[in-house]
Amino acid sequence: MATNFVIPAKMKAWVYGEHGDVANVLRLDPEFEVPEVQEGQAVPGYDLAGIVVKVGHQVKELKVGDEVYGFTSHAYKYGTLAEYTAVEESSLALKPKKLSFEEAASLPVVIQTAYGGLERAGLSHGKSLLVLGGAGGVGTLAIQLGKEVFGASRVAATSSTGKLDLLKSLGADLAIDYTKVNFEDLPEKFDVVYVAIGQSERAVKAVKPGGSVVTIVEHQKTLPPPAFSFVATSDRSTLEKLRPFLEGGKVKAVIDPKSPFPFSQAIEAFSYLQTGRATGKVVIQPVP
């Protein structure tokens, strides 16, 4: 059996660019690119901020030259840790003018995760909120959104000793040092507990009767009631809804002081992230 095939760069293939009647949408392309097999190779990264350089014929709202931000759902293959990536229009929103590209790139996943989780948990005006892991990427946004967007009457959050002032600067009424205090032993209980770290068993002891516990990290385990898990999806409508709060400075991006890392130091950036000592988000700058 022959094994030394010569693979051409182009091939014949039936293609379509839109849905509809087969006779109208299907056509023969005699010079379609032969796909390459790239086993085990993928570009990581979800968040992005950049400038549109090309649009498909089905794109309706964005145009070349627009400054955008968002996150891609195709990170398993075409992630954002690259100079260019391809993203669905529905995943992108216009970048708030007040934000730098670094600030904008730090936000899409965490702000949509924070907002979606709080919304699903039923946080509303006048209710109280406890954020576990308040100094992390999602936690820093959950504190701000809880206060500024959802109108929580009281926000508490946990962190290590050195980050308590950060929590207060973001709007936390009560900053809890988890190295000294067990939050579940406090007499005060909360309407919503947002778990950005894996502590659901303890979190349910800090919620009021009838309250909610939402976790973003424990998806493969049975959770104690009333805890439930939440995973954000890429949705431009959330970014657009929160745009006024970002433009007005009521909600701010929190970027670790070591960021942004240059593109050549991506490994160092991930290594630092894995230490668990990062504050807010770690950002990598692809363009020199």
Side-chain angles (χ1 to χ4, degrees), residues 106-107 110-111 114 118 129 131-152 154-159 162-175 245-246 249-256 278-281:
S106 75
L107 285 170
V110 293
I111 201 168
L118 293 173
L129 168 67
V131 179
L132 303 183
V138 176
T140 55
L141 269 300
I143 293 171
Q144 297 180 78
L145 295 179
K147 201 77 169 181
E148 298 293 341
V149 179
F150 289 89
R154 182 166 170 82
V155 176
T158 65
S159 76
K163 299 177 181 179
L164 296 176
D165 287 340
L166 170 66
L167 304 188
K168 295 176 183 177
S169 72
L170 296 174
D173 302 291
L174 175 63
F245 296 93
L246 294 167
K250 291 185 176 181
V251 175
K252 301 177 181 179
V254 180
I255 299 176
D256 187 273
T279 299
K281 285 296 291 291

Side-chain angles (χ1 to χ4, degrees), residues 20 41 51 53-54 62 93 104 119 180 186 199 225 233 235 253:
Q41 296 188 46
I51 301 173
V53 296
K54 186 177 181 180
L62 298 177
E119 183 178 51
K180 300 177 181 179
L186 295 173
Q199 297 181 339
T233 56
D235 178 14

Side-chain angles (χ1 to χ4, degrees), residues 36-61:
E36 295 184 9
V37 176
Q38 297 180 322
E39 294 184 13
Q41 296 188 46
V43 178
Y46 291 92
D47 291 300
L48 69 95
I51 301 173
V52 177
V53 296
K54 186 177 181 180
V55 297
H57 72 279
Q58 292 183 326
V59 173
K60 304 300 182 184
E61 298 182 34

Side-chain angles (χ1 to χ4, degrees), residues 13-34:
W14 288 96
V15 300
Y16 68 97
E18 58 186 329
H19 296 285
D21 183 75
V22 174
N24 295 327
V25 302
L26 199 61
R27 66 179 181 84
L28 182 63
D29 186 339
E31 294 190 341
F32 195 78
E33 291 188 5
V34 174

Side-chain angles (χ1 to χ4, degrees), residues 164-207:
L164 296 176
D165 287 340
L166 170 66
L167 304 188
K168 295 176 183 177
S169 72
L170 296 174
D173 302 291
L174 175 63
I176 304 169
D177 186 343
Y178 68 75
T179 69
K180 300 177 181 179
V181 178
N182 292 324
F183 64 85
E184 70 270 32
D185 295 334
L186 295 173
E188 182 177 7
K189 304 304 176 184
F190 301 86
D191 294 298
V192 173
V193 181
Y194 195 106
V195 184
I197 48 180
Q199 297 181 339
S200 293
E201 291 80 5
R202 297 172 60 192
V204 296
K205 299 176 183 178
V207 68

Side-chain angles (χ1 to χ4, degrees), residues 35-36 38 41-46 72-80 85:
E36 295 184 9
Q38 297 180 322
Q41 296 188 46
V43 178
Y46 291 92
T72 174
S73 59
H74 294 311
Y76 62 88
K77 187 175 182 181
Y78 301 117
T80 59
T85 191

